[in-house]
Amino acid sequence: MTRIIARVARSARYAAFAALLAVPFAVTPAAAQTNLTNQQILQGLTATTDDEPTITAQLLRQMAEQAVAQNVPLNLNTSAVAAQLFKLAQITVQIQFALNSDIIRPESYGTIGAISDALHHPILFNYHFLIVGNTDTTGTRAQNLKLSQARADAVKQALVTVFGVDPGRLEAVGLGQEVLQTPNDPTNPINRRVQLFNIGLE
């Protein structure tokens, strides 16, 4: 009964926020998708589906680590995982970090604060979210995987310690350079992005 009520509620919210402003997980044009207003962040994270997602940070991390260790492409965009990710409410933002570091630059705390406002909103308050860090191809695959994980963890930590988001609602994973937004321009800074996915109720 609880699951049915949750799905009805999600459907109602979907109708109210029909404009899905988020970009899909797979490769898409790099147009102005990362400079979102507070309202756009809320809308992008609210357009949930009736499906119960099974995506976890652990699953994505294992896929990325295995691909890097075996020196093979991740091929996430053609996997069943991507099919689920496409359906999730999501946003893409640019979080600025110090060079080769997981230290968040001060100018990005406004963006993280706007994300926090959305996560504290009554519409989203009971939902859980996946924070995904991505890099460009500067550096090795292994280095980028480690750096992106540290940066995703840093965004989670900022949301928790600075903005009071319940850590139990957040999972963080880094995918390094494995899912480029502009594969024909792999060193483009647009690839250094953070994605937030609504992975449903607990």
Side-chain angles (χ1 to χ4, degrees):
M1 179 63 69
T2 301
R3 187 178 292 270
I4 293 173
I5 293 172
R7 288 184 174 179
V8 170
R10 278 189 298 231
S11 296
R13 282 192 287 270
Y14 183 82
F17 293 96
L20 179 59
L21 298 172
V23 298
F25 194 82
V27 176
T28 55
Q33 300 159 339
T34 58
N35 296 321
L36 303 180
T37 66
N38 290 29
Q39 186 63 22
Q40 287 174 323
I41 289 173
L42 179 61
Q43 289 175 333
L45 292 174
T46 302
T48 56
T49 72
D50 289 337
D51 297 324
E52 290 294 329
T54 58
I55 303 298
T56 66
Q58 182 179 5
L59 172 63
L60 292 176
R61 187 177 302 113
Q62 288 175 344
M63 293 176 65
E65 288 176 349
Q66 184 175 15
V68 171
Q70 296 178 354
N71 196 28
V72 296
L74 178 57
N75 289 331
L76 182 63
N77 292 339
T78 59
S79 70
V81 172
Q84 290 191 52
L85 284 167
F86 270 123
K87 299 176 182 178
L88 300 181
Q90 59 189 268
I91 59 169
T92 298
V93 294
Q94 291 287 342
I95 303 295
Q96 302 299 322
F97 295 89
L99 183 64
N100 295 323
S101 169
D102 61 355
I103 298 174
I104 300 170
R105 294 176 61 89
E107 59 265 31
S108 286
Y109 276 90
T111 298
I112 297 175
I115 293 171
S116 168
D117 289 343
L119 301 192
H120 283 299
H121 194 283
I123 291 174
L124 294 177
F125 193 74
N126 292 321
Y127 283 85
H128 291 67
F129 298 87
L130 181 64
I131 302 165
V132 179
N134 301 271
T135 69
D136 60 20
T137 57
T138 303
T140 68
R141 290 178 72 188
Q143 289 170 340
N144 287 333
L145 192 62
K146 182 178 180 180
L147 179 61
S148 64
Q149 180 65 59
R151 288 178 170 179
D153 288 336
V155 173
K156 174 182 176 179
Q157 188 69 9
L159 286 168
V160 170
T161 60
V162 179
F163 297 102
V165 177
D166 180 355
R169 298 174 60 203
L170 303 173
E171 297 182 48
V173 62
L175 294 182
Q177 66 186 58
E178 304 308 308
V179 189
L180 296 171
Q181 187 162 343
T182 58
N184 294 328
D185 187 11
T187 60
N188 191 320
I190 198 71
N191 292 301
R192 302 196 298 264
R193 67 204 188 280
V194 172
Q195 294 168 286
L196 204 69
F197 293 88
N198 185 331
I199 55 174
L201 298 167
E202 185 177 14

